[in-house]
PDB file of all heavy atoms in Angstrom:
ATOM      1  N   THR A  89      15.402  23.534  -8.536  1.00 47.00           N
ATOM      2  CA  THR A  89      16.446  24.221  -9.403  1.00 47.00           C
ATOM      3  C   THR A  89      17.682  24.623  -8.523  1.00 47.00           C
ATOM      4  O   THR A  89      18.725  24.922  -9.020  1.00 47.00           O
ATOM      5  CB  THR A  89      15.833  25.454 -10.110  1.00 47.00           C
ATOM      6  OG1 THR A  89      15.184  26.314  -9.030  1.00 47.00           O
ATOM      7  CG2 THR A  89      14.819  25.108 -11.130  1.00 47.00           C
ATOM      8  N   THR A  90      17.459  24.708  -7.190  1.00 47.00           N
ATOM      9  CA  THR A  90      18.533  25.125  -6.338  1.00 47.00           C
ATOM     10  C   THR A  90      19.224  23.936  -5.633  1.00 47.00           C
ATOM     11  O   THR A  90      20.149  24.085  -4.932  1.00 47.00           O
ATOM     12  CB  THR A  90      18.123  26.049  -5.254  1.00 47.00           C
ATOM     13  OG1 THR A  90      17.051  25.470  -4.493  1.00 47.00           O
ATOM     14  CG2 THR A  90      17.525  27.418  -5.853  1.00 47.00           C
ATOM     15  N   SER A  91      18.716  22.726  -5.982  1.00 45.00           N
ATOM     16  CA  SER A  91      19.401  21.532  -5.372  1.00 45.00           C
ATOM     17  C   SER A  91      20.729  21.345  -5.930  1.00 45.00           C
ATOM     18  O   SER A  91      21.006  21.660  -7.176  1.00 45.00           O
ATOM     19  CB  SER A  91      18.583  20.340  -5.767  1.00 45.00           C
ATOM     20  OG  SER A  91      17.154  20.378  -5.246  1.00 45.00           O
ATOM     21  N   PRO A  92      21.730  20.873  -5.083  1.00 44.00           N
ATOM     22  CA  PRO A  92      23.084  20.522  -5.593  1.00 44.00           C
ATOM     23  C   PRO A  92      23.039  19.519  -6.719  1.00 44.00           C
ATOM     24  O   PRO A  92      22.283  18.562  -6.684  1.00 44.00           O
ATOM     25  CB  PRO A  92      23.822  20.020  -4.403  1.00 44.00           C
ATOM     26  CG  PRO A  92      22.864  19.636  -3.441  1.00 44.00           C
ATOM     27  CD  PRO A  92      21.554  20.408  -3.705  1.00 44.00           C
ATOM     28  N   MET A  93      23.797  19.837  -7.890  1.00 45.00           N
ATOM     29  CA  MET A  93      23.696  18.916  -9.019  1.00 45.00           C
ATOM     30  C   MET A  93      24.100  17.501  -8.770  1.00 45.00           C
ATOM     31  O   MET A  93      23.534  16.686  -9.334  1.00 45.00           O
ATOM     32  CB  MET A  93      24.569  19.583 -10.128  1.00 45.00           C
ATOM     33  CG  MET A  93      24.370  18.848 -11.554  1.00 45.00           C
ATOM     34  SD  MET A  93      25.241  19.706 -12.830  1.00 45.00           S
ATOM     35  CE  MET A  93      24.235  21.169 -12.987  1.00 45.00           C
ATOM     36  N   GLY A  94      25.080  17.347  -7.847  1.00 45.00           N
ATOM     37  CA  GLY A  94      25.574  15.973  -7.697  1.00 45.00           C
ATOM     38  C   GLY A  94      24.600  14.969  -7.136  1.00 45.00           C
ATOM     39  O   GLY A  94      24.722  13.810  -7.318  1.00 45.00           O
ATOM     40  N   GLY A  95      23.582  15.482  -6.279  1.00 49.00           N
ATOM     41  CA  GLY A  95      22.720  14.507  -5.593  1.00 49.00           C
ATOM     42  C   GLY A  95      21.345  14.480  -6.103  1.00 49.00           C
ATOM     43  O   GLY A  95      20.430  13.837  -5.454  1.00 49.00           O
ATOM     44  N   THR A  96      21.015  15.188  -7.240  1.00 65.00           N
ATOM     45  CA  THR A  96      19.613  15.256  -7.565  1.00 65.00           C
ATOM     46  C   THR A  96      19.260  14.698  -8.907  1.00 65.00           C
ATOM     47  O   THR A  96      18.205  14.954  -9.447  1.00 65.00           O
ATOM     48  CB  THR A  96      19.116  16.771  -7.572  1.00 65.00           C
ATOM     49  OG1 THR A  96      19.965  17.434  -8.425  1.00 65.00           O
ATOM     50  CG2 THR A  96      19.275  17.339  -6.141  1.00 65.00           C
ATOM     51  N   MET A  97      20.053  13.916  -9.504  1.00 81.00           N
ATOM     52  CA  MET A  97      19.940  13.357 -10.788  1.00 81.00           C
ATOM     53  C   MET A  97      19.183  11.950 -10.671  1.00 81.00           C
ATOM     54  O   MET A  97      19.370  11.247  -9.643  1.00 81.00           O
ATOM     55  CB  MET A  97      21.193  13.202 -11.674  1.00 81.00           C
ATOM     56  CG  MET A  97      21.733  14.565 -11.993  1.00 81.00           C
ATOM     57  SD  MET A  97      23.038  14.434 -13.367  1.00 81.00           S
ATOM     58  CE  MET A  97      24.401  13.991 -12.343  1.00 81.00           C
ATOM     59  N   ARG A  98      18.459  11.637 -11.734  1.00 87.00           N
ATOM     60  CA  ARG A  98      17.951  10.222 -11.839  1.00 87.00           C
ATOM     61  C   ARG A  98      19.119   9.419 -12.310  1.00 87.00           C
ATOM     62  O   ARG A  98      19.517   9.556 -13.469  1.00 87.00           O
ATOM     63  CB  ARG A  98      16.700  10.234 -12.701  1.00 87.00           C
ATOM     64  CG  ARG A  98      16.022   8.881 -12.731  1.00 87.00           C
ATOM     65  CD  ARG A  98      14.474   9.049 -12.893  1.00 87.00           C
ATOM     66  NE  ARG A  98      14.041   9.431 -14.178  1.00 87.00           N
ATOM     67  CZ  ARG A  98      13.658   8.707 -15.168  1.00 87.00           C
ATOM     68  NH1 ARG A  98      13.533   7.297 -14.943  1.00 87.00           N
ATOM     69  NH2 ARG A  98      13.159   9.092 -16.364  1.00 87.00           N
ATOM     70  N   LEU A  99      19.650   8.532 -11.448  1.00 90.00           N
ATOM     71  CA  LEU A  99      20.803   7.789 -11.795  1.00 90.00           C
ATOM     72  C   LEU A  99      20.550   6.260 -11.738  1.00 90.00           C
ATOM     73  O   LEU A  99      19.802   5.778 -10.790  1.00 90.00           O
ATOM     74  CB  LEU A  99      21.900   8.113 -10.786  1.00 90.00           C
ATOM     75  CG  LEU A  99      22.641   9.466 -11.017  1.00 90.00           C
ATOM     76  CD1 LEU A  99      23.448   9.801  -9.725  1.00 90.00           C
ATOM     77  CD2 LEU A  99      23.487   9.487 -12.119  1.00 90.00           C
ATOM     78  N   GLY A 100      21.215   5.546 -12.541  1.00 93.00           N
ATOM     79  CA  GLY A 100      21.140   4.071 -12.481  1.00 93.00           C
ATOM     80  C   GLY A 100      20.002   3.458 -13.316  1.00 93.00           C
ATOM     81  O   GLY A 100      19.479   4.129 -14.232  1.00 93.00           O
ATOM     82  N   GLU A 101      19.792   2.154 -13.099  1.00 95.00           N
ATOM     83  CA  GLU A 101      18.956   1.447 -13.981  1.00 95.00           C
ATOM     84  C   GLU A 101      17.452   1.522 -13.571  1.00 95.00           C
ATOM     85  O   GLU A 101      17.105   1.453 -12.353  1.00 95.00           O
ATOM     86  CB  GLU A 101      19.326  -0.038 -13.883  1.00 95.00           C
ATOM     87  CG  GLU A 101      18.541  -1.031 -14.683  1.00 95.00           C
ATOM     88  CD  GLU A 101      19.070  -2.470 -14.490  1.00 95.00           C
ATOM     89  OE1 GLU A 101      18.530  -3.117 -13.554  1.00 95.00           O
ATOM     90  OE2 GLU A 101      20.023  -2.903 -15.187  1.00 95.00           O
ATOM     91  N   TYR A 102      16.553   1.775 -14.599  1.00 95.00           N
ATOM     92  CA  TYR A 102      15.129   1.939 -14.347  1.00 95.00           C
ATOM     93  C   TYR A 102      14.474   0.996 -15.363  1.00 95.00           C
ATOM     94  O   TYR A 102      14.878   0.809 -16.456  1.00 95.00           O
ATOM     95  CB  TYR A 102      14.670   3.359 -14.469  1.00 95.00           C
ATOM     96  CG  TYR A 102      15.038   4.253 -13.407  1.00 95.00           C
ATOM     97  CD1 TYR A 102      16.244   4.790 -13.211  1.00 95.00           C
ATOM     98  CD2 TYR A 102      14.137   4.483 -12.414  1.00 95.00           C
ATOM     99  CE1 TYR A 102      16.661   5.670 -12.192  1.00 95.00           C
ATOM    100  CE2 TYR A 102      14.380   5.390 -11.292  1.00 95.00           C
ATOM    101  CZ  TYR A 102      15.704   5.878 -11.258  1.00 95.00           C
ATOM    102  OH  TYR A 102      15.970   6.776 -10.165  1.00 95.00           O
ATOM    103  N   GLU A 103      13.343   0.483 -14.951  1.00 96.00           N
ATOM    104  CA  GLU A 103      12.453  -0.361 -15.856  1.00 96.00           C
ATOM    105  C   GLU A 103      11.716   0.643 -16.828  1.00 96.00           C
ATOM    106  O   GLU A 103      11.326   1.695 -16.488  1.00 96.00           O
ATOM    107  CB  GLU A 103      11.457  -1.043 -14.986  1.00 96.00           C
ATOM    108  CG  GLU A 103      10.534  -1.956 -15.724  1.00 96.00           C
ATOM    109  CD  GLU A 103       9.457  -2.668 -14.839  1.00 96.00           C
ATOM    110  OE1 GLU A 103       9.922  -3.615 -14.117  1.00 96.00           O
ATOM    111  OE2 GLU A 103       8.367  -2.238 -14.813  1.00 96.00           O
ATOM    112  N   CYS A 104      11.606   0.190 -18.068  1.00 97.00           N
ATOM    113  CA  CYS A 104      10.874   0.994 -19.029  1.00 97.00           C
ATOM    114  C   CYS A 104       9.991   0.051 -19.858  1.00 97.00           C
ATOM    115  O   CYS A 104      10.372  -1.094 -20.273  1.00 97.00           O
ATOM    116  CB  CYS A 104      11.879   1.623 -20.014  1.00 97.00           C
ATOM    117  SG  CYS A 104      11.138   2.363 -21.468  1.00 97.00           S
ATOM    118  N   GLU A 105       8.748   0.384 -19.986  1.00 97.00           N
ATOM    119  CA  GLU A 105       7.759  -0.349 -20.750  1.00 97.00           C
ATOM    120  C   GLU A 105       7.727   0.149 -22.191  1.00 97.00           C
ATOM    121  O   GLU A 105       7.534   1.396 -22.396  1.00 97.00           O
ATOM    122  CB  GLU A 105       6.412  -0.265 -20.153  1.00 97.00           C
ATOM    123  CG  GLU A 105       5.356  -1.136 -20.772  1.00 97.00           C
ATOM    124  CD  GLU A 105       4.043  -1.173 -20.066  1.00 97.00           C
ATOM    125  OE1 GLU A 105       3.961  -0.809 -18.861  1.00 97.00           O
ATOM    126  OE2 GLU A 105       2.985  -1.584 -20.649  1.00 97.00           O
ATOM    127  N   THR A 106       7.837  -0.618 -23.175  1.00 97.00           N
ATOM    128  CA  THR A 106       7.934  -0.271 -24.491  1.00 97.00           C
ATOM    129  C   THR A 106       6.562  -0.479 -25.314  1.00 97.00           C
ATOM    130  O   THR A 106       5.768  -1.354 -24.835  1.00 97.00           O
ATOM    131  CB  THR A 106       8.987  -1.181 -25.308  1.00 97.00           C
ATOM    132  OG1 THR A 106       8.579  -2.520 -25.358  1.00 97.00           O
ATOM    133  CG2 THR A 106      10.364  -1.016 -24.671  1.00 97.00           C
ATOM    134  N   LYS A 107       6.270   0.364 -26.161  1.00 97.00           N
ATOM    135  CA  LYS A 107       5.041   0.287 -26.890  1.00 97.00           C
ATOM    136  C   LYS A 107       5.012  -0.586 -28.075  1.00 97.00           C
ATOM    137  O   LYS A 107       6.004  -0.567 -28.790  1.00 97.00           O
ATOM    138  CB  LYS A 107       4.671   1.737 -27.318  1.00 97.00           C
ATOM    139  CG  LYS A 107       3.265   1.893 -27.997  1.00 97.00           C
ATOM    140  CD  LYS A 107       2.953   3.268 -28.398  1.00 97.00           C
ATOM    141  CE  LYS A 107       1.540   3.390 -28.870  1.00 97.00           C
ATOM    142  NZ  LYS A 107       1.231   4.837 -29.298  1.00 97.00           N
ATOM    143  N   GLU A 108       3.985  -1.369 -28.195  1.00 97.00           N
ATOM    144  CA  GLU A 108       3.899  -2.348 -29.298  1.00 97.00           C
ATOM    145  C   GLU A 108       3.887  -1.630 -30.639  1.00 97.00           C
ATOM    146  O   GLU A 108       3.318  -0.557 -30.741  1.00 97.00           O
ATOM    147  CB  GLU A 108       2.585  -3.213 -29.129  1.00 97.00           C
ATOM    148  CG  GLU A 108       2.643  -4.399 -30.037  1.00 97.00           C
ATOM    149  CD  GLU A 108       1.455  -5.373 -29.685  1.00 97.00           C
ATOM    150  OE1 GLU A 108       0.819  -5.246 -28.703  1.00 97.00           O
ATOM    151  OE2 GLU A 108       1.252  -6.295 -30.575  1.00 97.00           O
ATOM    152  N   GLY A 109       4.640  -2.196 -31.624  1.00 96.00           N
ATOM    153  CA  GLY A 109       4.686  -1.616 -32.890  1.00 96.00           C
ATOM    154  C   GLY A 109       5.719  -0.458 -33.071  1.00 96.00           C
ATOM    155  O   GLY A 109       5.859   0.075 -34.174  1.00 96.00           O
ATOM    156  N   SER A 110       6.480  -0.130 -31.986  1.00 97.00           N
ATOM    157  CA  SER A 110       7.353   0.904 -32.064  1.00 97.00           C
ATOM    158  C   SER A 110       8.790   0.449 -32.426  1.00 97.00           C
ATOM    159  O   SER A 110       9.110  -0.715 -32.429  1.00 97.00           O
ATOM    160  CB  SER A 110       7.520   1.657 -30.647  1.00 97.00           C
ATOM    161  OG  SER A 110       7.990   0.636 -29.639  1.00 97.00           O
ATOM    162  N   ASN A 111       9.666   1.373 -32.851  1.00 97.00           N
ATOM    163  CA  ASN A 111      11.006   1.094 -33.101  1.00 97.00           C
ATOM    164  C   ASN A 111      11.690   0.528 -31.828  1.00 97.00           C
ATOM    165  O   ASN A 111      12.627  -0.306 -31.938  1.00 97.00           O
ATOM    166  CB  ASN A 111      11.801   2.406 -33.567  1.00 97.00           C
ATOM    167  CG  ASN A 111      11.387   2.829 -34.918  1.00 97.00           C
ATOM    168  OD1 ASN A 111      10.981   2.095 -35.751  1.00 97.00           O
ATOM    169  ND2 ASN A 111      11.420   4.162 -35.075  1.00 97.00           N
ATOM    170  N   LEU A 112      11.330   1.089 -30.731  1.00 98.00           N
ATOM    171  CA  LEU A 112      11.897   0.647 -29.400  1.00 98.00           C
ATOM    172  C   LEU A 112      11.627  -0.795 -29.168  1.00 98.00           C
ATOM    173  O   LEU A 112      12.453  -1.590 -28.775  1.00 98.00           O
ATOM    174  CB  LEU A 112      11.328   1.482 -28.274  1.00 98.00           C
ATOM    175  CG  LEU A 112      12.091   1.469 -26.959  1.00 98.00           C
ATOM    176  CD1 LEU A 112      13.554   1.873 -27.034  1.00 98.00           C
ATOM    177  CD2 LEU A 112      11.260   2.217 -25.920  1.00 98.00           C
ATOM    178  N   ARG A 113      10.309  -1.143 -29.365  1.00 98.00           N
ATOM    179  CA  ARG A 113       9.889  -2.567 -29.083  1.00 98.00           C
ATOM    180  C   ARG A 113      10.595  -3.481 -30.064  1.00 98.00           C
ATOM    181  O   ARG A 113      11.057  -4.575 -29.727  1.00 98.00           O
ATOM    182  CB  ARG A 113       8.406  -2.655 -29.211  1.00 98.00           C
ATOM    183  CG  ARG A 113       7.811  -4.169 -29.181  1.00 98.00           C
ATOM    184  CD  ARG A 113       7.962  -4.802 -27.785  1.00 98.00           C
ATOM    185  NE  ARG A 113       7.124  -4.219 -26.856  1.00 98.00           N
ATOM    186  CZ  ARG A 113       5.817  -4.607 -26.673  1.00 98.00           C
ATOM    187  NH1 ARG A 113       5.237  -5.511 -27.370  1.00 98.00           N
ATOM    188  NH2 ARG A 113       5.095  -4.006 -25.669  1.00 98.00           N
ATOM    189  N   ALA A 114      10.672  -3.083 -31.360  1.00 97.00           N
ATOM    190  CA  ALA A 114      11.312  -3.842 -32.393  1.00 97.00           C
ATOM    191  C   ALA A 114      12.824  -4.121 -32.105  1.00 97.00           C
ATOM    192  O   ALA A 114      13.348  -5.213 -32.297  1.00 97.00           O
ATOM    193  CB  ALA A 114      11.072  -3.220 -33.757  1.00 97.00           C
ATOM    194  N   ALA A 115      13.413  -3.057 -31.541  1.00 98.00           N
ATOM    195  CA  ALA A 115      14.893  -3.125 -31.263  1.00 98.00           C
ATOM    196  C   ALA A 115      15.141  -4.179 -30.120  1.00 98.00           C
ATOM    197  O   ALA A 115      16.018  -4.982 -30.223  1.00 98.00           O
ATOM    198  CB  ALA A 115      15.412  -1.737 -30.898  1.00 98.00           C
ATOM    199  N   TYR A 116      14.379  -4.086 -29.077  1.00 97.00           N
ATOM    200  CA  TYR A 116      14.627  -4.857 -27.929  1.00 97.00           C
ATOM    201  C   TYR A 116      13.951  -6.245 -27.889  1.00 97.00           C
ATOM    202  O   TYR A 116      14.220  -7.130 -27.128  1.00 97.00           O
ATOM    203  CB  TYR A 116      14.309  -4.123 -26.636  1.00 97.00           C
ATOM    204  CG  TYR A 116      15.205  -3.021 -26.366  1.00 97.00           C
ATOM    205  CD1 TYR A 116      15.104  -1.732 -26.845  1.00 97.00           C
ATOM    206  CD2 TYR A 116      16.251  -3.274 -25.402  1.00 97.00           C
ATOM    207  CE1 TYR A 116      16.012  -0.738 -26.534  1.00 97.00           C
ATOM    208  CE2 TYR A 116      17.153  -2.220 -25.086  1.00 97.00           C
ATOM    209  CZ  TYR A 116      17.063  -0.992 -25.663  1.00 97.00           C
ATOM    210  OH  TYR A 116      17.860   0.046 -25.320  1.00 97.00           O
ATOM    211  N   ASP A 117      12.808  -6.293 -28.705  1.00 97.00           N
ATOM    212  CA  ASP A 117      11.983  -7.451 -28.766  1.00 97.00           C
ATOM    213  C   ASP A 117      11.426  -7.813 -27.392  1.00 97.00           C
ATOM    214  O   ASP A 117      11.512  -9.033 -27.044  1.00 97.00           O
ATOM    215  CB  ASP A 117      12.651  -8.596 -29.427  1.00 97.00           C
ATOM    216  CG  ASP A 117      11.741  -9.782 -29.749  1.00 97.00           C
ATOM    217  OD1 ASP A 117      10.513  -9.522 -29.898  1.00 97.00           O
ATOM    218  OD2 ASP A 117      12.182 -10.895 -29.830  1.00 97.00           O
ATOM    219  N   SER A 118      11.133  -6.817 -26.597  1.00 97.00           N
ATOM    220  CA  SER A 118      10.571  -7.141 -25.258  1.00 97.00           C
ATOM    221  C   SER A 118       9.748  -5.933 -24.864  1.00 97.00           C
ATOM    222  O   SER A 118       9.989  -4.753 -25.112  1.00 97.00           O
ATOM    223  CB  SER A 118      11.868  -7.105 -24.301  1.00 97.00           C
ATOM    224  OG  SER A 118      11.444  -7.400 -23.018  1.00 97.00           O
ATOM    225  N   LYS A 119       8.700  -6.302 -23.983  1.00 97.00           N
ATOM    226  CA  LYS A 119       7.797  -5.330 -23.489  1.00 97.00           C
ATOM    227  C   LYS A 119       8.459  -4.534 -22.392  1.00 97.00           C
ATOM    228  O   LYS A 119       8.205  -3.308 -22.299  1.00 97.00           O
ATOM    229  CB  LYS A 119       6.452  -6.015 -23.001  1.00 97.00           C
ATOM    230  CG  LYS A 119       5.495  -5.072 -22.479  1.00 97.00           C
ATOM    231  CD  LYS A 119       4.181  -5.794 -21.942  1.00 97.00           C
ATOM    232  CE  LYS A 119       3.151  -4.745 -21.448  1.00 97.00           C
ATOM    233  NZ  LYS A 119       1.960  -5.394 -20.840  1.00 97.00           N
ATOM    234  N   ILE A 120       9.307  -5.185 -21.555  1.00 97.00           N
ATOM    235  CA  ILE A 120       9.940  -4.455 -20.418  1.00 97.00           C
ATOM    236  C   ILE A 120      11.444  -4.468 -20.592  1.00 97.00           C
ATOM    237  O   ILE A 120      11.994  -5.547 -20.973  1.00 97.00           O
ATOM    238  CB  ILE A 120       9.588  -5.189 -19.116  1.00 97.00           C
ATOM    239  CG1 ILE A 120       8.074  -5.184 -18.840  1.00 97.00           C
ATOM    240  CG2 ILE A 120      10.412  -4.430 -18.001  1.00 97.00           C
ATOM    241  CD1 ILE A 120       7.490  -3.812 -18.591  1.00 97.00           C
ATOM    242  N   ILE A 121      12.004  -3.266 -20.638  1.00 97.00           N
ATOM    243  CA  ILE A 121      13.575  -3.272 -20.761  1.00 97.00           C
ATOM    244  C   ILE A 121      14.093  -2.555 -19.563  1.00 97.00           C
ATOM    245  O   ILE A 121      13.409  -1.863 -18.815  1.00 97.00           O
ATOM    246  CB  ILE A 121      13.946  -2.574 -22.081  1.00 97.00           C
ATOM    247  CG1 ILE A 121      13.471  -1.130 -22.077  1.00 97.00           C
ATOM    248  CG2 ILE A 121      13.394  -3.356 -23.265  1.00 97.00           C
ATOM    249  CD1 ILE A 121      14.032  -0.328 -23.281  1.00 97.00           C
ATOM    250  N   TYR A 122      15.394  -2.646 -19.335  1.00 97.00           N
ATOM    251  CA  TYR A 122      16.122  -1.984 -18.257  1.00 97.00           C
ATOM    252  C   TYR A 122      17.291  -1.244 -18.731  1.00 97.00           C
ATOM    253  O   TYR A 122      18.110  -1.824 -19.431  1.00 97.00           O
ATOM    254  CB  TYR A 122      16.565  -2.968 -17.163  1.00 97.00           C
ATOM    255  CG  TYR A 122      15.414  -3.665 -16.565  1.00 97.00           C
ATOM    256  CD1 TYR A 122      14.831  -4.836 -16.968  1.00 97.00           C
ATOM    257  CD2 TYR A 122      14.724  -3.163 -15.330  1.00 97.00           C
ATOM    258  CE1 TYR A 122      13.828  -5.461 -16.405  1.00 97.00           C
ATOM    259  CE2 TYR A 122      13.723  -3.828 -14.719  1.00 97.00           C
ATOM    260  CZ  TYR A 122      13.269  -5.041 -15.295  1.00 97.00           C
ATOM    261  OH  TYR A 122      12.200  -5.622 -14.736  1.00 97.00           O
TER     262      TYR A 122
END
């Protein structure tokens, strides 16, 4: 909580695994998205 805000955020592209049958999977039509 005391870390400087500028350098402690999760920034940039990350891999995400989508759940079958979800709105997310239906939207991307892919198990893995970035």
Side-chain angles (χ1 to χ4, degrees):
T89 51
T90 58
S91 300
M93 189 171 288
T96 57
M97 288 195 283
R98 189 146 70 98
L99 286 166
E101 185 180 87
Y102 285 82
E103 182 182 284
C104 170
E105 185 174 341
T106 65
K107 185 176 181 179
E108 192 171 347
S110 64
N111 292 328
L112 190 66
R113 171 71 68 87
Y116 288 85
D117 191 25
S118 179
K119 183 180 179 181
I120 302 294
I121 63 173
Y122 296 88

